[in-house]
Amino acid sequence: MTSSLLRPRGRTRTGTTGAPGGAVTEGSTAPTRILDWRDPLVAALVRELGAGPVGASGSADAVGSADAVGSADPARQIEFLHRAHTWISGAVRPVYSVQDERPVSEVLRRGRGSCSQRLAVLEAVARAYGVPTRVRGLLVDGSFWYPRFPRLRRIVPDQVLLAWPEFRLGSPAGASGAAASWLTVSELLGGLRPVAAEQGGGFTNAGPETLFEALSRTAIDWDAAPAVCPSTGPGAGPGAGAGAGAACELSAYVLTDLGHYASRDELFARHGQTLCGLARLMAEPVLGRRGAA
């Protein structure tokens, strides 16, 4: 049993393309209120990871011309973003914060964040390095989080709004003039390939490993044929978790695909956060410090 009482009111969450007229949603390297990569704390992290911030125009700030050119090299971009993910996994403690609109600089100051907030940190440093990002909005069935809150199922939201990042590597347009393709965060960090069987099975959304950490070792796929992982969820049969296969296919949990948005700021402005303001105010002091376990 999940609860719809904690959801924002007056929001119509139906499938949409995100961009008007069915146009392709273009991402950006520009800072936003959430992805505030021009904040000194975020800029310092980018330099620590081995590069200075690169603006939306592609010009480098505090880096040499070689680094500015290299930032458009997909191989260097992938290496940089893998370093960033490893750093975030180790330095930003996973908690159950419900403030999805918290600026990245504030997440770094606190040294803790939810999966959504840590994904935002990854997006911010990507934009600072010159890699455009966008997000896909997914409404995910609240039962996906049952393993985390086995005794509190009655107050788990019936649907959770997930901002799933995508990254466009390389130059904005190739030699042919065609725009570079987009990669989901799972494709970027783990690849949709059968690695989970060799590294302890698919993601179970239980224990100390969170969705953010799992990205680097297993395939998190929201679009595949509905083979459920973990075992507690829509359509899950006996032994589903143990036999989920090499890739962690989570499409059975997706209630609605809200389409793509140029930023997570735009997604949350359109559809609100998972919880209403009052619920966030009451839950954040507790959940914002509770670690994943």
Side-chain angles (χ1 to χ4, degrees):
M1 178 184 294
T2 54
S3 173
S4 63
L5 299 177
L6 304 179
R7 261 196 273 150
R9 299 301 171 187
R11 300 278 184 173
T12 303
R13 291 172 167 175
T14 57
T16 177
T17 60
V24 175
T25 300
E26 295 296 334
S28 175
T29 58
T32 68
R33 192 186 71 83
I34 299 176
L35 308 176
D36 58 342
W37 62 258
R38 285 203 174 102
D39 182 274
L41 194 59
V42 185
L45 170 58
V46 176
R47 287 192 293 271
E48 180 181 339
L49 292 171
V54 177
S57 65
S59 61
D61 177 16
V63 290
S65 58
D67 284 335
V69 173
S71 67
D73 175 20
R76 291 187 63 175
Q77 291 173 335
I78 291 172
E79 179 185 359
F80 173 81
L81 292 172
H82 274 259
R83 286 201 306 272
H85 179 264
T86 299
W87 187 94
I88 298 165
S89 296
V92 182
R93 184 169 66 91
V95 295
Y96 297 116
S97 174
V98 295
Q99 296 288 4
D100 288 332
E101 291 186 333
R102 178 167 291 155
V104 163
S105 59
E106 183 61 25
V107 174
L108 293 177
R109 285 186 184 94
R110 292 170 182 253
R112 61 181 185 271
S114 65
C115 284
S116 176
Q117 291 166 349
R118 294 193 292 165
L119 285 170
V121 176
L122 184 65
E123 272 195 87
V125 298
R127 289 189 175 209
Y129 194 60
V131 178
T133 75
R134 66 182 185 184
V135 296
R136 179 183 175 195
L138 297 171
L139 283 181
V140 180
D141 194 300
S143 64
F144 179 62
W145 280 268
Y146 278 177
R148 298 277 176 194
F149 303 96
R151 299 181 180 179
L152 299 174
R153 292 186 178 187
R154 290 181 179 272
I155 63 172
V156 171
D158 61 334
Q159 52 184 234
V160 174
L161 179 57
L162 179 65
W164 197 242
E166 297 183 0
F167 303 80
R168 191 173 64 194
L169 303 180
S171 300
S176 64
S181 60
W182 290 92
L183 292 178
T184 68
V185 65
S186 181
E187 292 169 323
L188 174 71
L189 296 174
L192 299 181
R193 59 183 184 273
V195 297
E198 301 173 2
Q199 301 187 33
F203 177 63
T204 61
N205 205 17
E209 183 185 59
T210 69
L211 188 64
F212 185 83
E213 280 87 21
L215 283 167
S216 65
R217 70 161 189 88
T218 190
I220 304 295
D221 188 1
W222 300 102
D223 293 302
V228 175
C229 166
S231 60
T232 54
C248 192
E249 300 168 352
L250 302 175
S251 61
Y253 291 97
V254 177
L255 302 175
T256 306
D257 184 345
L258 298 173
H260 290 94
Y261 293 82
S263 70
R264 60 183 52 234
D265 304 60
E266 184 180 311
L267 171 66
F268 295 139
R270 175 80 174 270
H271 294 287
Q273 300 180 58
T274 294
L275 301 181
C276 65
L278 180 59
R280 295 198 305 272
L281 183 65
M282 296 176 63
E284 182 62 23
V286 177
L287 294 181
R289 294 180 178 274
R290 179 178 172 181

